[in-house]
Amino acid sequence: MRLADTFALAWGTLAQQPRRTALIGLAMSIGVGAVVVLTALGEGARGYVLEQFAGLGTNLIIVIPGRAETTGAAPGVLSGETTRDLTLDDADAVARIAWVAAVAPLNVGAAQITRGSLGREAVLLGSTAPLLTIRHMHLGLGHFLPPGPSDQATPVCVLGDKIRAELFGNANPLGGWVRIGDRRFRVIGTLAAQGQQMGFNTDEAVVIPVAAAQQLFNTPSLFRILIEARGRAAVPRVKTETLALLKTRHEGEEDVTVITQDAVLATFDRILTALTLAVGGIAAISLGVAGVLIMNVMLVSVAQRRAEIGLLKALGASGRSVRALFLAEAGLIATLGAAGGVALGLVASFVLGRVYPQLPIVPPLWAVAAAVATAILAGLLFAWLPARRAAKLDAALSLSRR
Amino acid sequence: MIQLDKISRTFQVGDQQVLALREVSLSIAAGEYIAIMGPSGSGKSTLLNLLGLLDRPSSGRYSLDGRDVTGLNEAESARVRRDKIGFVFQFFHLVPRLDAAANVALPLVLAGIAPAERKQRVAQLLADVGLSERADHLPSQLSGGQLQRVAIARAMSMHPALLLADEPTGNLDRATGREVMGVLEGLNQRGATLIVITHDQEIGARARRRIGMEDGRVISDTAT
């Protein structure tokens, strides 16, 4: 029997019962549509997070004091401090490594900032001039921190947009004085409003020279050293050289942790991909349910069409041909359902994309392909039993019944 | 052409063994016209099913065209049915959703014959039974006699050497029945071996050889 004839005959049977065919197709469509929409959402979330990270700069290398390792007791508990502080000298040394584009030491703390009678709590960032480019901040008014030796505690500050608005209102803040802790700082610039960026709001920050911050917090150590490599390819090299350099500077002990944006990015990527797969997998369960539905309907159909099956056998159809005929029916329904499901999923994704414009919702091609393949496979798999039953039907017996 | 050697067929009904055929031996030559007659339950239909390879004997040997077909597997016997045997049923057994031409074409489709050749052969077959202008009618739009003629055209589509008819007139009025028998006899005259099961004495009398059956045995055979 020719393949085209098999499908033509199968199609004839399906077209005979349009409502039944449409309903099973719909069940398949819902399953496939669910997979498409949910994976699209998952991929959208992943794309959103990756985009946010890219906004922070993918050439970024961060040095954190202390070493990330698992020990029985917290380090320092038994033998006093084991980690050496990161210092400004460390930061200056790192800046001389080849392939390093810029280095910004960073101190973070909270401090009261006041102007006259107005005052509020602000996040204080102690850093140097390169911070602006490394963190992709944007300047609103005036200048950022002046370049120069990092240990110079010039009493100047740059205000986040919200701090500026609350302390100065509509007045020009440039050249004004504010009091931070027990010191006075001259405002030399403001940051443009940027809003939330990976959980940190620069609008509520105040940037001062790192040396001034160290004096203010009375500490010789740094919170972080931010390093920007010259290009993505240089990131691993700069990372190893930074580690080696800091090891020699810290009496041969590797007591810092160096993380790269890439590593963080890769971790998030993995987590969110796993999430997408999990959600897609759960949706795929409904394809199995649709498969059971196909099986049920096919079993009924085999029982109803005993005479026809017997006739086909009498006319010379082998068991194989009969089985092929029923599998073709199931395959056609599943394919139709899958096509409907993809259409359904695309429309739903488009609508969701309109509702949440910040999420890049596009169904991933692999998920669409996998959903369609699973649907067709489920259809054929669940039709196997009814098809086999039809193929094994006793022709003489089926024909004798009226 | 057909050689049956001590063919028996038992059915299991509940925990009882029912002997439908008891050591039936028959020899049928090519081109014969045979009527098998007997009361219901005499084993006529079982015999016909065995001849048509729709059923297998419990014991005995069946050879068709000099070939032992007793032990053929399912696919092989399907092939023999397709190429050598044509069936005509009491209840016509046409596929309701297919028009007359498509019903006639079914065996050709199952044999994997190309659509172009199929079309040509179906037109000839329908012309042979005088239904050319009904080719695109659905079974529901045809009369009983027309339905049986479509079924005969279908049975002949692969030019089988053996034509098996199980009560072909059982569902038709007498005049139409005679007409249908005429078509079958015409095919027999052109060389096909025709075996007809019937209750009807008048139809049976038209055959050149009559086999009477009772209790699974051949009790009379005009050839011997």
Side-chain angles (χ1 to χ4, degrees):
Chain A
M1 197 161 160
R2 297 162 155 247
L3 199 63
D5 287 329
T6 306
F7 277 108
L9 271 178
W11 177 247
T13 317
L14 294 181
Q16 180 81 0
Q17 285 157 308
R19 192 184 316 182
R20 195 197 74 172
T21 306
L23 282 176
I24 314 173
L26 183 66
M28 247 348 175
S29 293
I30 290 171
V32 172
V35 172
V36 170
V37 171
L38 288 176
T39 49
L41 268 175
E43 282 289 292
R46 193 174 72 98
Y48 176 72
V49 170
L50 296 193
E51 209 172 74
Q52 291 284 304
F53 266 98
L56 292 180
T58 44
N59 301 340
L60 195 62
I61 299 158
I62 303 165
V63 184
I64 304 171
R67 182 144 183 240
E69 63 182 341
T70 313
T71 52
V77 170
L78 298 174
S79 53
E81 285 295 321
T82 58
T83 55
R84 264 152 287 258
D85 289 335
L86 273 179
T87 63
L88 269 181
D89 289 343
D90 288 336
D92 288 340
V94 167
R96 287 191 288 274
I97 294 174
W99 296 101
V100 168
V103 169
L106 186 65
N107 252 333
V108 178
Q112 185 76 12
I113 174 165
T114 54
R115 174 181 178 250
S117 59
L118 295 170
R120 65 161 286 163
E121 194 84 357
V123 178
L124 208 58
L125 300 178
S127 191
T128 54
L131 181 73
L132 186 73
T133 50
I134 290 178
R135 282 301 300 266
H136 294 263
M137 292 170 167
H138 298 288
L139 214 51
L141 298 168
H143 302 280
F144 198 65
L145 299 176
S150 57
D151 55 357
Q152 217 161 52
T154 329
V156 293
C157 68
V158 178
L159 302 181
D161 192 61
K162 194 169 175 191
I163 303 288
R164 175 201 59 77
E166 289 188 5
L167 295 186
F168 288 91
N170 287 327
N172 182 9
L174 294 183
W177 288 88
V178 293
R179 180 172 285 275
I180 301 173
D182 56 354
R183 284 158 188 265
R184 295 203 325 141
F185 290 83
R186 182 186 286 281
V187 178
I188 56 167
T190 64
L191 295 171
Q194 274 193 137
Q196 204 83 10
Q197 206 181 36
M198 286 312 295
F200 180 72
N201 194 345
T202 52
D203 291 353
E204 294 179 11
V206 175
V207 188
I208 60 171
V210 65
Q214 285 183 329
Q215 289 172 7
L216 206 61
F217 297 136
N218 190 22
T219 168
S221 66
L222 293 175
F223 176 65
R224 296 278 189 272
I225 300 176
L226 307 179
I227 307 166
E228 189 175 85
R230 287 181 204 277
R232 213 172 163 150
V235 168
R237 197 171 142 185
V238 171
K239 181 182 170 180
T240 45
E241 285 194 26
T242 304
L243 262 174
L245 177 74
L246 291 177
K247 191 173 171 182
T248 34
R249 287 184 62 86
H250 290 188
E251 281 85 45
E253 209 173 318
E254 209 178 289
D255 58 0
V256 296
T257 303
V258 178
I259 58 170
T260 58
Q261 197 72 27
D262 265 6
V264 179
L265 207 68
T267 307
F268 266 95
D269 197 9
R270 274 201 300 278
I271 293 171
L272 289 165
T273 303
L275 201 72
T276 305
L277 281 176
V279 170
I282 291 168
I285 291 174
S286 58
L287 288 178
V289 175
V292 173
L293 188 65
I294 285 191
M295 174 152 83
N296 181 34
V297 172
M298 294 297 271
L299 280 173
V300 173
S301 169
V302 170
Q304 282 174 344
R305 284 155 60 193
R306 293 178 70 103
E308 184 185 327
I309 296 163
L311 170 76
L312 286 176
K313 288 193 152 189
L315 296 183
S318 61
R320 259 181 75 144
S321 302
V322 172
R323 194 171 61 211
L325 213 52
F326 277 85
L327 287 180
E329 272 181 41
L332 277 175
I333 294 186
T335 308
L336 277 179
V342 169
L344 205 71
L346 289 179
V347 169
S349 301
F350 178 77
V351 171
L352 273 175
R354 282 295 166 96
V355 177
Y356 302 104
Q358 63 271 40
L359 284 187
I361 296 179
V362 175
L365 199 64
W366 62 263
V368 175
V372 169
T374 311
I376 295 174
L377 209 69
L380 292 181
L381 212 63
F382 281 103
W384 193 264
L385 182 81
R388 214 181 58 141
R389 182 172 287 189
K392 289 199 163 174
L393 219 59
D394 185 329
L397 213 63
S398 335
L399 278 171
S400 66
R401 290 194 194 173
R402 170 80 174 124
Chain B
M1 178 188 194
I2 290 173
Q3 193 68 50
L4 296 183
D5 196 15
K6 293 189 175 164
I7 293 280
S8 295
R9 178 72 168 100
T10 51
F11 289 103
Q12 190 80 33
V13 180
D15 47 19
Q16 235 185 334
Q17 294 267 338
V18 177
L19 259 173
L21 287 179
R22 301 167 197 255
E23 299 199 339
V24 171
S25 295
L26 266 180
S27 169
I28 297 168
E32 278 199 77
Y33 175 11
I34 299 173
I36 300 178
M37 306 182 65
S40 15
S42 60
K44 330 184 278 295
S45 289
T46 306
L47 181 62
L48 202 77
N49 285 337
L50 285 168
L51 287 173
L53 291 179
L54 288 175
D55 198 2
R56 285 162 179 242
S58 308
S59 68
R61 198 168 160 280
Y62 172 19
S63 75
L64 179 65
D65 271 347
R67 177 186 180 197
D68 185 357
V69 293
T70 324
L72 290 186
N73 69 23
E74 194 270 342
E76 285 166 337
S77 52
R79 180 171 294 252
V80 172
R81 281 200 296 274
R82 190 185 79 195
D83 295 337
K84 294 193 171 164
I85 303 169
F87 287 94
V88 176
F89 307 97
Q90 179 180 1
F91 298 108
F92 323 128
H93 282 303
L94 297 179
V95 180
R97 66 170 182 281
L98 299 178
D99 64 25
N103 265 296
V104 173
L106 258 184
L108 305 173
V109 169
L110 292 172
I113 287 166
E117 194 191 338
R118 241 152 51 194
K119 210 173 160 196
Q120 204 181 338
R121 276 166 75 167
V122 167
Q124 181 59 48
L125 288 159
L126 281 171
D128 285 349
V129 294
L131 284 175
S132 288
E133 67 280 18
R134 307 266 177 196
D136 54 352
H137 282 47
L138 289 174
S140 54
Q141 298 165 318
L142 295 173
S143 71
Q146 287 170 335
L147 288 173
Q148 199 57 301
R149 282 190 292 175
V150 171
I152 292 168
R154 180 180 66 190
M156 290 311 292
S157 62
M158 292 293 290
H159 303 303
L162 177 61
L163 201 50
L164 301 174
D166 192 352
E167 307 245 18
T169 61
N171 250 21
L172 304 173
D173 61 63
R174 198 157 280 273
T176 319
R178 257 186 232 121
E179 193 184 309
V180 163
M181 284 315 295
V183 176
L184 287 173
E185 283 157 9
L187 294 169
N188 172 247
Q189 273 151 29
R190 281 194 261 159
T193 309
L194 175 62
I195 302 178
V196 181
I197 286 184
T198 186
H199 272 118
D200 190 325
Q201 293 296 334
E202 184 197 323
I203 301 279
R206 296 164 68 129
R208 284 192 295 276
R209 177 178 170 188
R210 286 178 297 282
I211 296 174
M213 290 190 71
E214 217 176 284
D215 276 341
R217 286 196 190 83
V218 173
I219 51 161
S220 67
D221 187 344
T222 55
T224 51

